[in-house]
Amino acid sequence: MPVLPAARLTRQTLALLAAYPGQLVPTAVLAEEVAPQEPPGTGRLVVQTAVRELRERFAEALRGGRRGEDLLSELPGGYRLETGAGTLDTWDFERYAGAGYRAMEAGDAESAARRLRQALALWSGEAFSGVEAGPRLKLRIDDLERSRRRAVDQWIEAELRAGHDRRLVTELVAVIARLRLREPLYERLLEKLHPGNTSQTALTAYWQLRREHPAPTAIWAR
């Protein structure tokens, strides 16, 4: 059973907690995110209301006697979204992408392309799409978007190094649409990928485009 709160403030609360899974998110930070215009006391009440609703929805989804508090715990100073022994798409993304970067450094373009393709397959659009982001969530979204952009760029380079320029045409079109990539770099690259070009020619053109549109530095490490 999916947990998708209807109330905007509750969705914002869940989004910020999910952005930092397994970590304590201070009540003051949550209040600033969901009720920035309210006095601190009112903001805390808004957060408490949102947490109560989330726990109720978690309890409905969990079944088996587990409580909402088992997933959303209260600690001194704030709340934590518990992950237990589970995994998260962001963690899997970082793991696959990291393996891809290491393979690129080792000169194994085939493995790098495969791992980075796995990492990008975990994305279905922009991070936290549909959630009104406050100041803290915007920072996390920016970090994730930089990481995604870096993975896309490294995947393209790996595919070209592996000589997969013809396959890349079809796959890149699909990735642009699925991930809603708006950077002109990718559209210009597609113009360079045609049967008359060799893989090396396409790779040289891509490096030139990268110099014109440098990839951002990703801010994550796991």
Side-chain angles (χ1 to χ4, degrees):
M1 176 181 175
V3 178
L4 184 62
R8 176 181 62 85
L9 297 180
T10 308
R11 285 200 306 273
Q12 284 182 274
T13 302
L14 177 59
L16 188 57
L17 289 165
Y20 299 94
Q23 300 180 42
L24 172 69
V25 181
T27 304
V29 171
L30 288 164
E32 180 186 3
E33 180 78 16
V34 303
Q37 305 302 322
E38 300 292 341
T42 304
R44 284 193 294 271
L45 290 174
V46 171
V47 170
Q48 290 169 4
T49 300
V51 167
R52 183 166 57 251
E53 180 182 342
L54 286 172
R55 285 173 167 172
E56 290 173 355
R57 296 186 68 86
F58 287 155
E60 293 173 4
L62 284 170
R63 301 176 183 175
R66 296 184 66 192
R67 306 174 305 156
E69 290 85 346
D70 295 333
L71 276 185
L72 181 49
S73 59
E74 182 175 4
L75 301 171
Y79 298 91
R80 182 173 65 198
L81 190 64
E82 304 292 351
T83 60
T87 186
L88 297 172
D89 285 349
T90 51
W91 294 351
D92 287 341
F93 168 75
E94 292 168 3
R95 179 162 55 86
Y96 289 138
Y101 300 147
R102 290 190 294 273
M104 281 288 282
E105 291 174 358
D108 188 350
E110 288 282 356
S111 295
R114 183 175 65 256
R115 288 300 191 181
L116 289 163
R117 197 180 308 118
Q118 288 177 304
L120 293 173
L122 294 167
W123 286 82
S124 59
E126 298 172 339
F128 294 99
S129 178
V131 177
E132 183 177 328
R136 185 60 65 95
L137 186 58
K138 284 179 181 177
L139 290 175
R140 180 58 176 150
I141 289 172
D142 288 345
D143 285 351
L144 290 170
E145 289 298 328
R146 281 191 288 266
S147 295
R148 181 178 73 158
R149 164 73 189 274
R150 182 190 179 200
V152 171
D153 288 351
Q154 287 287 285
W155 164 68
I156 291 171
E157 184 171 341
E159 293 283 12
L160 291 175
R161 283 181 177 274
H164 299 161
D165 48 296
R166 295 186 181 181
R167 183 177 74 186
L168 181 60
V169 174
T170 301
E171 292 190 353
L172 184 55
V173 169
V175 167
I176 288 173
R178 179 167 53 84
L179 302 189
R180 302 184 183 94
L181 299 175
R182 301 185 179 90
E183 292 89 341
L185 163 68
Y186 306 118
E187 295 294 343
R188 292 185 61 188
L189 176 60
L190 284 173
E191 297 172 1
K192 305 288 185 181
L193 295 172
H194 55 77
N197 277 346
T198 64
S199 295
Q200 185 57 50
T201 300
L203 184 58
T204 300
Y206 178 60
W207 284 336
Q208 176 61 38
L209 291 171
R210 280 278 295 276
R211 284 192 289 271
E212 298 171 9
H213 306 273
T217 301
I219 304 177
W220 58 258
R222 183 172 176 79

